[in-house]
Amino acid sequence: MIRIVLMYFSDYVYFENSSSNPYLIRRIEELNKTANGNVEAKVVCFYRRRDISSTLISLADKHAREMEEEMENPEMVDLPEKLKHQLRHRELFLSRQLESLPATHIRGKCSVTLLNETESLKSYLEREDFFFYSLVYDPQQKTLLADKGEIRVGNRYQADITDLLEEGVEDGRDQAFLETKVWEASNPLTDKQIDQFLVVARSVGTFARALDCSSSVRQPSLHMSAAAASRDITLFHAMDTLHKNYYDISKAISALVPQGGPVLCRDEMEEWSASEANLFEEALEKYGKDFTDIQQDFLPWKSLTSIIEYYYMWKTTDRYVQQKRLKAAEAESKLKQVYIPNYNKPNPNQISANSIKPAVVNGTVVQGQNMSGRACESCYTTQSYQWYSWGPPNMQCRLCASCWAYWKKYGGLKMPTRLDGERPGPNPIILLKKAYVFLTWQSPHSLSMRAGGSPKFAMKTRQAFYLHTTKLTRIARRLCRDIFRPRYAARHPYMPINSAAIKAECRYSGYRWFVCTV
């Protein structure tokens, strides 16, 4: 049975761009149908830790430590190393980058959320296909910044509320420092008198715009000047003037027209030019309500306060309503969903009996090596219904089906690997020759090798090194003779030794010896 997955715009999805690399994580912004009938998805890019430089990773770790200190939550400290390692695979970095990908490359859905300080870190690991982000990555400038849209939840954003006063106890605080009265509700004026004064204030504002040269250019007609004079900034100034003159209308009218001429009150909507308004709309289309980026990239001569104030005034205009209707009509004509069948084609990295590649050991090609005894590079298991090749071809690493699915989704292994430098792998190839121990990537006595395995002649050889064997190695020589075969290994220094099987035999023999002793 073919399973059909329904994808909507704004869904978080996995995209596959390589059979061996982890999935890409993207958010669908638009679904468009091309001329040849195929469906393309316009997506927002998310990046993993493995996609950014080590310098930026150190910055991300520093940011995580600072957040942990602010949260005063010891949970991250108490997490085992394995869970810390897996938690790093759930961290993503948001970007502003958009790209178009074919919908046929979608491999499933996932969930991405902004890091919530009040949520347990383990909750991200307990949910399948769940990721979080707290930083924004710029792939062009190679920078990492905190996301401006963080949800302000937690102890840092709570108001300090004073204790409730008991009955009969007076509040010793000076109310004059806590609040400022701007209007007296029980004033001597009637509503009709206040409305008449506001009409006078609007008339003065219209006359002031007629006298102002810049306003004459922006509002060339009387109708536009009167509309600008009727904005809230004029009414607020009129009521403030009335309150300051103790609701004496004659004094308040005199204050509206001082000796220098009528008072002109203009808000941000009137201060901005048409070109600045167009720049703002273009920036809003690109960055959304990220006003800091809008200021930096489009309107650096405007203050952040001015931009925010203009935005909320702009939302009350007909221009905003028209754009909203236009976007709604465009969204109606676009695809809202797409059906994606379950992808069940075989992966080229699947290992079969006929697909074992020759290994390269010390520059020597070793044909037809049997990988049947090799353990999974991540979980050490030797039993799986399907195996996948992973890592550099010369290392012949492989993953079981479960760890391969984890690698594709989360971009890492369940346990740290030797390629990360955090622990030895389950299949180290050790070459033994008498008292010397050689690694596969280093030839004995530091001599370069021919293709046939014999050393090339050199004028001067380097001094050999000696590695003292551990107790475990010496015990293994006696307990695992049938697997280890030290004489055979010494005479065939380029054949790999299955260390996982030796470890398992040592543990079993040790346990059997312990039972017999008891």
Side-chain angles (χ1 to χ4, degrees):
M1 181 181 291
I2 298 177
R3 182 167 59 91
I4 303 295
V5 182
L6 187 60
M7 299 294 171
Y8 297 89
F9 72 96
S10 77
D11 274 350
Y12 295 91
V13 294
Y14 294 118
F15 275 90
E16 186 173 37
N17 68 338
S18 170
S19 60
S20 58
N21 289 336
Y23 294 137
L24 306 175
I25 296 178
R26 302 290 186 260
R27 185 180 70 227
I28 299 176
E29 290 292 298
E30 293 178 6
L31 291 169
N32 302 314
K33 202 167 186 179
T34 60
N36 56 6
N38 296 328
V39 177
E40 280 192 349
K42 187 178 180 182
V43 295
V44 175
C45 299
F46 285 83
Y47 291 87
R48 304 179 191 265
R49 293 174 72 94
R50 68 193 305 271
D51 301 326
I52 65 176
S53 65
S54 56
T55 307
L56 294 181
I57 288 176
S58 61
L59 287 176
D61 292 337
K62 182 181 177 183
H63 179 263
R65 288 193 296 270
E66 290 174 354
M67 284 190 65
E68 185 184 342
E69 291 173 0
E70 291 175 359
M71 292 164 62
E72 298 179 354
N73 188 0
E75 183 189 6
M76 189 65 182
V77 180
D78 299 336
L79 280 179
E81 286 300 322
K82 179 182 176 182
L83 294 184
K84 286 183 181 180
H85 173 77
Q86 293 180 2
L87 192 63
R88 295 188 188 101
H89 300 155
R90 303 300 184 102
E91 183 180 13
L92 300 178
F93 301 98
L94 173 65
S95 75
R96 309 294 183 193
Q97 182 175 341
L98 297 174
E99 63 181 9
S100 294
L101 296 171
T104 53
H105 288 191
I106 295 176
R107 297 293 179 261
K109 290 185 180 183
C110 60
S111 299
V112 182
T113 182
L114 185 66
L115 179 63
N116 192 344
E117 297 177 8
T118 61
E119 196 164 1
S120 169
L121 292 172
K122 287 184 180 179
S123 64
Y124 295 104
L125 294 173
E126 293 166 355
R127 284 175 278 187
E128 191 75 15
D129 303 318
F130 206 83
F131 301 87
F132 66 89
Y133 75 94
S134 61
L135 299 172
V136 179
Y137 173 60
D138 188 338
Q140 276 77 36
Q141 299 183 5
K142 307 296 181 185
T143 56
L144 208 58
L145 301 171
D147 184 51
K148 307 298 189 306
E150 62 176 332
I151 302 172
R152 298 190 172 185
V153 178
N155 297 331
R156 292 182 295 161
Y157 305 108
Q158 302 303 315
D160 294 327
I161 302 175
T162 57
D163 297 332
L164 181 65
L165 296 175
E166 297 180 2
E167 189 175 353
V169 178
E170 294 185 0
D171 189 356
R173 297 175 298 175
D174 189 352
Q175 298 297 321
F177 292 102
L178 300 178
E179 59 186 8
T180 303
K181 183 180 285 188
V182 295
W183 184 258
E184 181 64 59
S186 57
N187 60 76
L189 300 177
T190 63
D191 291 343
K192 184 178 180 181
Q193 288 175 316
I194 294 173
D195 291 339
Q196 288 174 341
F197 178 75
L198 294 180
V199 171
V200 172
R202 285 195 288 267
S203 302
V204 171
T206 305
F207 179 63
R209 282 166 176 77
L211 297 178
D212 184 64
C213 297
S214 60
S215 298
S216 301
V217 175
R218 294 175 183 176
Q219 291 101 21
S221 65
L222 179 62
H223 176 74
M224 294 176 66
S225 297
S230 299
R231 295 185 62 80
D232 290 342
I233 187 71
T234 303
L235 302 182
F236 290 157
H237 174 68
M239 297 179 77
D240 185 51
T241 303
L242 200 58
H243 177 73
K244 287 180 178 178
N245 288 277
Y246 305 101
Y247 303 94
D248 187 334
I249 291 183
S250 60
K251 289 183 179 179
I253 292 175
S254 300
L256 288 177
V257 189
Q259 202 151 17
V263 175
L264 176 60
C265 300
R266 288 190 295 203
D267 55 18
E268 293 297 334
M269 183 61 67
E270 197 174 351
E271 289 283 356
W272 287 41
S273 65
S275 59
E276 290 173 337
N278 292 333
L279 276 176
F280 173 79
E281 291 178 4
E282 182 183 345
L284 198 67
E285 183 72 22
K286 182 177 180 181
Y287 293 128
K289 292 195 293 183
D290 196 336
F291 300 115
T292 305
D293 287 347
I294 290 175
Q295 181 196 28
Q296 289 177 353
D297 296 346
F298 284 84
L299 299 163
W301 58 91
K302 294 287 186 182
S303 67
L304 195 60
T305 306
S306 173
I307 293 173
I308 295 173
E309 187 178 342
Y310 178 82
Y311 167 75
Y312 286 103
M313 290 183 177
W314 173 78
K315 288 187 71 173
T316 64
T317 61
D318 293 337
R319 174 81 174 174
Y320 170 77
V321 176
Q322 290 173 3
Q323 286 197 4
K324 197 172 181 180
R325 288 175 181 171
L326 185 62
K327 286 184 179 180
E330 288 178 356
E332 195 68 29
S333 62
K334 290 180 179 178
L335 290 174
K336 295 182 179 61
Q337 59 190 31
V338 61
Y339 293 94
I340 304 295
N342 188 29
Y343 186 80
N344 51 11
K345 293 183 180 179
N347 192 294
N349 293 274
Q350 289 183 6
I351 298 175
S352 61
N354 300 323
S355 64
I356 299 175
K357 299 178 181 179
V360 179
V361 180
N362 282 351
T364 304
V365 178
V366 182
Q367 296 289 343
Q369 292 195 34
N370 185 12
M371 292 180 63
S372 59
R374 296 181 69 84
C376 173
E377 189 72 20
S378 177
C379 65
Y380 293 160
T381 184
T382 55
Q383 300 294 328
S384 178
Y385 67 90
Q386 181 62 59
W387 293 94
Y388 297 85
S389 61
W390 178 83
N394 64 308
M395 296 186 69
Q396 287 199 329
C397 302
R398 68 176 186 170
L399 298 178
C400 64
S402 173
C403 293
W404 177 259
Y406 186 94
W407 159 257
K408 293 292 286 184
K409 286 184 177 182
Y410 304 114
L413 300 186
K414 295 179 182 178
M415 293 286 289
T417 173
R418 56 178 158 159
L419 297 182
D420 298 332
E422 298 181 37
R423 70 173 173 118
N427 306 307
I429 303 175
I430 304 175
L431 306 179
L432 300 163
K433 189 173 183 180
K434 295 184 179 180
Y436 299 100
V437 178
F438 305 99
L439 301 178
T440 54
W441 47 83
Q442 189 164 6
S443 60
H445 305 288
S446 301
L447 292 176
S448 56
M449 291 292 169
R450 289 199 184 102
S454 59
K456 293 181 181 178
F457 295 102
M459 294 298 295
K460 185 178 179 181
T461 59
R462 298 179 186 175
Q463 185 178 2
F465 66 93
Y466 172 80
L467 293 180
H468 184 66
T469 55
T470 63
K471 269 187 181 178
L472 183 62
T473 305
R474 294 198 294 272
I475 293 171
R477 289 174 181 169
R478 298 184 178 277
L479 293 179
C480 309
R481 284 185 174 277
D482 54 335
I483 302 175
F484 188 63
R485 297 192 294 172
R487 287 181 178 276
Y488 180 83
R491 292 169 182 171
H492 300 80
Y494 308 111
M495 293 298 293
I497 295 172
N498 191 344
S499 62
I502 293 173
K503 286 181 181 178
E505 179 65 22
C506 286
R507 287 171 185 164
Y508 176 75
S509 300
Y511 174 77
R512 188 173 53 190
W513 175 83
F514 175 79
V515 171
C516 293
T517 305
V518 173

